[in-house]
Amino acid sequence: MTGSEREISARVPRLLRVSAALSWRFVAVVAALYVVGEVVGYLTTIVIPTGIALLLAALLSPAVSQLARVGVPRGLATGLVLVGGIAVVGGVLTFVITEFSNGLPELQKQVGASLDTIRGWLRDGPLHLSDLQLQQYLDRAFQTVKDNQAEITSSALTTAATVGELLTGLLLALFTLIFFLHDGDGIWRFLVRAVPADVRDRADVAGRRGFASLVSYVRATALVAVVDAVGVGIGLWIVGVPLVVPLSTLVFLGAFIPIIGAVITGAVAVLVALVAEGPVAALIVLAVLIGVMQLESHVLQPLLLGRAVKLHPLAVVLAITAGLVVGGISGALLSVPLLAVLNSGIRSLLSDSDRAVEPRDVDVHEPQETGPPDTGGDRVEDLDGRTRPVPGDAPTGTADPGGADRRG
């Protein structure tokens, strides 16, 4: 730096220099995120099936590894787990569809009775609508449908195309899942080779920590979903609401989208109870749902998800909202697992205690491997390059496991 440059730098206020440095870094980060978002949006048909396959791999890979440990060949173990998983899912779907078909006639009768009740309330209640007025409203509704027939047909064709894309995505996810289960570790080692050799082990450990967090997340979410479905199902059965099994299954599937999934599927259950059994039954079902959600939010999620992924509830809500904006339902489904993986990986990269950890020593199927131990040895840098302890760091004079590494 020349003398004139030093003089100019001395005249510029430090606050302005710091603000300028933060501003261009912020712009660079936002631009990078925008480019990544555009690429992901363009490759949605590949990214979403791959993400779903990764979630399923996190759920099924412990079973494959367990079979491999007892001497079953890896390929055979993968086939057994996949066939067993498909059989279970197919059996559940068959049972749900059968139950729905069997309960549909009774539900149609109850819907008809509820519509008659609503018509009687409109005629004899505060509105005092005549039969002629009711018929006019129905005629207007039919005419609206007829006038928009072209748009409805176009929407149906769009839905058919969407179903075709969904089937293609399912096949891609299944194909990808097979390779993840059979040779996931080999695929990861191949990807890690792109990282510079001097930090390859740190990146390897961080990636394994991230996948361990994903495994723990899927386990905990599945357990929470089972509890939600059983609790709601018992409440629906006691009240006498039809289609208990399909509605409970819907609650189970919705629980994989934290917070909003249970709200949406619960609203469907309340609506069915309202139509089939009346407002009193709907209020009882709503009370059951609120009780189950309170149990989930105050007991199950802090006990299971909190220990598994160590995410603040606000971070979960913001991640789900961002996922909905970017990718709809699929984005909401994948946003929290992605945040959990990034959280564990970044914590590992920032931890001094993981510097001496060998990648092969990290068991991705163990909950305690989702992140480095909290030794209080982390440091952050000031803007001028000096290091200082983070809040809660070890006090001065205590042993610091990463001190030797920093000095060296």
Side-chain angles (χ1 to χ4, degrees), residues 120-151:
W121 180 81
L122 292 174
R123 185 177 57 247
D124 303 328
L127 298 178
H128 293 290
L129 297 178
S130 64
D131 291 337
L132 179 60
Q133 289 174 317
L134 292 174
Q135 189 61 40
Q136 288 176 348
Y137 289 134
L138 290 176
D139 292 341
R140 290 178 185 175
F142 287 128
Q143 187 63 37
T144 301
V145 172
K146 189 177 297 183
D147 294 339
N148 295 276
Q149 187 173 1
E151 296 182 6

Side-chain angles (χ1 to χ4, degrees), residues 206-274:
R208 293 174 185 271
R209 299 285 196 196
F211 187 76
S213 177
L214 186 63
V215 172
S216 298
Y217 170 83
V218 174
R219 286 178 179 175
T221 303
L223 184 56
V224 171
V226 169
V227 174
D228 287 351
V230 171
V232 172
I234 292 175
L236 294 174
W237 176 73
I238 293 175
V239 176
V241 177
L243 305 177
V244 173
V245 174
L247 291 175
S248 300
T249 306
L250 186 64
V251 171
F252 173 80
L253 296 175
F256 283 90
I257 303 178
I259 302 175
I260 64 172
V263 174
I264 295 174
T265 55
V268 175
V270 172
L271 182 60
V272 172
L274 177 63

